[in-house]
Amino acid sequence: AQSVTQLDSQVPVFEEAPVELRCNYSSSVSVYLFWYVQYPNQGLQLLLKYLSGSTLVKGINGFEAEFNKSQTSFHLRKPSVHISDTAEYFCAVVSSGTYKYIFGTGTRLKVLA
Amino acid sequence: DAGVIQSPRHEVTEMGQEVTLRCKPISGHNSLFWYRQTMMRGLELLIYFNNNVPIDDSGMPEDRFSAKMPNASFSTLKIQPSEPRDSAVYFCASSFIEEQFFGPGTRLTVL
């Protein structure tokens, strides 16, 4: 069975500092990996996705993530955060060829002035 | 495209009443998902459809919940009778291949 673990429930960081949000997954088959962002009172919006190919994936708003198969991780990074990045971030995994997404519990990023 | 459309955006009802949530997926998408989000339990998949057919409803909490997809452009999630513990934000999402597109959600409050 698949599972997704987001190790940090909350991450406070000062504006213009770098940030890393951690995500680990478990699966016995090949997977697709996603990061979604949820701003207050809104639905989830795709930040980036890994399907195949280059393990470094770039997304919107300056975010990027690296797929590490040996460590079964897909950590999200941004070199310099803005106040507007304050939101909840969800990591998700889906086995290739299926439709069932497994979402992590979310990490609340709070950017401080 | 207008994206995934959900209605109503907010619903306040009394315990025991029937509640119907509606979703219009993005045109051309063949998969549709219903999720529930609460502070305590996070984001839970309730049910998903592929080509209008329910594929997995193992996340539906109990018989009070039912979902239908009569055609490719419309789905409903019904709760009858509703209970206070059903209070949550319910999201609908649709996809064609890998990426899911989420609607804005319906915030349900059951008094």
Side-chain angles (χ1 to χ4, degrees), chain A:
Chain A
Q2 299 171 80
S3 67
V4 176
T5 302
Q6 291 185 244
L7 298 167
D8 306 299
S9 59
Q10 294 187 64
V11 174
V13 62
F14 285 103
E15 194 173 19
E16 298 184 9
V19 70
E20 179 181 83
L21 306 184
R22 296 179 292 170
C23 173
N24 287 88
Y25 70 94
S26 66
S27 177
S28 57
V29 298
S30 60
V31 297
Y32 301 139
L33 294 156
F34 305 82
W35 276 99
Y36 284 82
V37 60
Q38 184 180 29
Y39 298 104
N41 301 314
Q42 295 187 26
L44 278 70
Q45 176 186 355
L46 183 71
L47 267 181
L48 49 79
K49 59 185 176 184
Y50 171 79
L51 305 180
S52 65
S54 173
T55 58
L56 183 62
V57 180
K58 293 189 183 298
I60 62 171
N61 300 341
F63 283 93
E64 64 180 33
E66 186 155 18
F67 170 58
N68 188 319
K69 189 174 182 179
S70 62
Q71 297 187 9
T72 60
S73 68
F74 191 56
H75 300 334
L76 181 70
R77 302 185 183 98
K78 186 170 182 177
S80 175
V81 296
H82 302 286
I83 295 287
S84 59
D85 293 323
T86 294
E88 188 148 21
Y89 292 79
F90 292 90
C91 182
V93 62
V94 58
S95 294
S96 55
T98 72
Y99 298 94
K100 191 166 185 177
Y101 284 60
I102 306 297
F103 281 88
T105 50
T107 296
R108 193 173 298 274
L109 174 64
K110 185 168 178 59
V111 181
L112 309 168

Side-chain angles (χ1 to χ4, degrees), chain B residues 57-74:
Chain B
D57 64 355
S58 60
M60 296 286 263
E62 43 196 281
D63 292 345
R64 298 184 298 106
F65 286 69
S66 62
K68 294 182 180 180
M69 192 164 186
N71 57 62
S73 59
F74 185 66

Side-chain angles (χ1 to χ4, degrees), chain A residues 36 38 46 99-101, chain B residues 33 37 56 91 98-100:
Chain A
Y36 284 82
Q38 184 180 29
L46 183 71
Y99 298 94
K100 191 166 185 177
Y101 284 60
Chain B
F33 307 78
Q37 186 177 40
D56 184 349
F91 288 104
E98 304 90 7
E99 177 184 348
Q100 289 192 18

